[in-house]
Amino acid sequence: MRLWPLLLMPAYLGSTDAAPRPDNAPPTLAVVNARVWTGVPRQPWADAIAVRGDRIALVGSSAAVRKLATADT
């Protein structure tokens, strides 16, 4: 069966509608006071994550993510 194109379609469609944002733009999403798995063996957990468009901008402490966030986040 050819199901793999159907499995890849949501990822492809989701990646095309977000316009690129400059690196100094505020994040569009900020999640704080969370438990975020980083995948980094030396520091496997973080408290917060900031997302800019369709890219992760920062994974770290809640204080660091709050510094990036604005009223529009």
Side-chain angles (χ1 to χ4, degrees), residues 5-17 54:
L6 296 176
L7 296 174
L8 295 177
M9 190 180 301
Y12 174 75
L13 292 176
S15 66
T16 58
D17 33 329
D54 63 346

Side-chain angles (χ1 to χ4, degrees), residues 6-66:
L6 296 176
L7 296 174
L8 295 177
M9 190 180 301
Y12 174 75
L13 292 176
S15 66
T16 58
D17 33 329
R21 295 181 178 267
D23 288 340
N24 60 351
T28 53
L29 173 70
V31 179
V32 296
N33 298 327
R35 185 159 167 86
V36 181
W37 181 70
T38 66
V40 177
R42 289 189 348 198
Q43 187 180 7
W45 297 100
D47 297 330
I49 185 169
V51 178
R52 189 178 290 125
D54 63 346
R55 306 276 184 195
I56 295 173
L58 175 69
V59 176
S61 69
S62 293
V65 170
R66 282 188 182 110

